[in-house]
Amino acid sequence: MFGQDNFICSTKCDWKSQKIMVGIAAVLCAVLLIFLWSNAGIIMRQRNLMFMMIVLTIGLVGTVYMGFMRVLSSSLSYVTVYNDHVEGHTWVQMKWFNTQYDERDFHLNYDEILQVEANGNILVIYTSYTQYKVMAARNKLQAISEIKSRIPKK
């Protein structure tokens, strides 16, 4: 096993405050939806309000779902940079209506890495056989510069 003296930086973060915020938002949305649907008899009298209530319900549920998925993928996905290798865990690659689950651990020597770049909060590591996408809101730039400095020049 590799020692701690090998460690350079990591993008790992527990995202506790974001998890709490998504939980609070979910509870508030649930209370709002229960209130709206418990008064559906009053709203049913006007068709415009009923349509708006259905759209609001779909929007609130979708927003809470996307927030939950973002926080979950961010807290499970990371990269750790060592002197002689990079390791980490990918979790979710999100697209609007097509969520692809790409969960795997990886361990890469620097000679396997072709390129590393950032795309928003996503750090992408390219190899000759695949690419690894990890959420990296913390220490992203440091991780990229450390990895780039250790990739052997060809």
Side-chain angles (χ1 to χ4, degrees):
M1 196 69 198
F2 299 98
Q4 284 297 96
D5 56 347
N6 235 355
F7 175 79
I8 296 174
C9 69
S10 179
T11 62
K12 197 172 206 176
C13 185
D14 68 354
W15 292 77
K16 191 176 289 185
S17 61
Q18 286 84 356
K19 289 177 186 175
I20 292 170
M21 291 301 292
V22 168
I24 290 170
V27 169
L28 290 175
C29 286
V31 168
L32 178 64
L33 290 174
I34 288 170
F35 174 75
L36 284 174
W37 285 102
S38 65
N39 295 315
I42 298 167
I43 295 171
M44 289 255 207
R45 293 182 193 144
Q46 297 188 7
R47 290 186 178 258
N48 294 356
L49 292 178
M50 187 62 182
F51 177 74
M52 287 175 47
M53 192 169 87
I54 292 171
V55 169
L56 181 66
T57 301
I58 293 169
L60 287 174
V61 170
T63 300
V64 169
Y65 172 76
M66 293 300 287
F68 174 74
M69 291 303 291
R70 174 146 176 104
V71 169
L72 187 61
S73 67
S74 299
S75 63
L76 294 176
S77 183
Y78 67 92
V79 64
T80 303
V81 180
Y82 295 93
N83 279 330
D84 55 352
H85 72 283
V86 173
E87 63 184 34
H89 186 81
T90 63
W91 194 71
V92 164
Q93 173 185 351
M94 294 178 66
K95 296 181 181 175
W96 279 104
F97 292 105
N98 180 19
T99 303
Q100 295 177 327
Y101 294 93
D102 181 23
E103 182 176 10
R104 58 187 162 168
D105 290 319
F106 61 90
H107 178 101
L108 302 169
N109 294 320
Y110 288 108
D111 58 353
E112 296 177 77
I113 299 172
L114 300 175
Q115 176 66 17
V116 61
E117 65 183 29
N119 184 2
N121 279 344
I122 298 174
L123 188 142
V124 185
I125 301 173
Y126 297 96
T127 65
S128 60
Y129 47 88
T130 191
Q131 62 185 9
Y132 299 94
K133 294 183 179 183
V134 296
M135 294 294 288
R138 182 176 158 240
N139 297 332
K140 175 180 62 182
L141 297 178
Q142 180 186 3
I144 289 172
S145 67
E146 292 292 342
I147 293 170
K148 281 185 175 181
S149 71
R150 287 171 171 71
I151 296 174
K153 306 292 184 235
K154 296 187 180 183

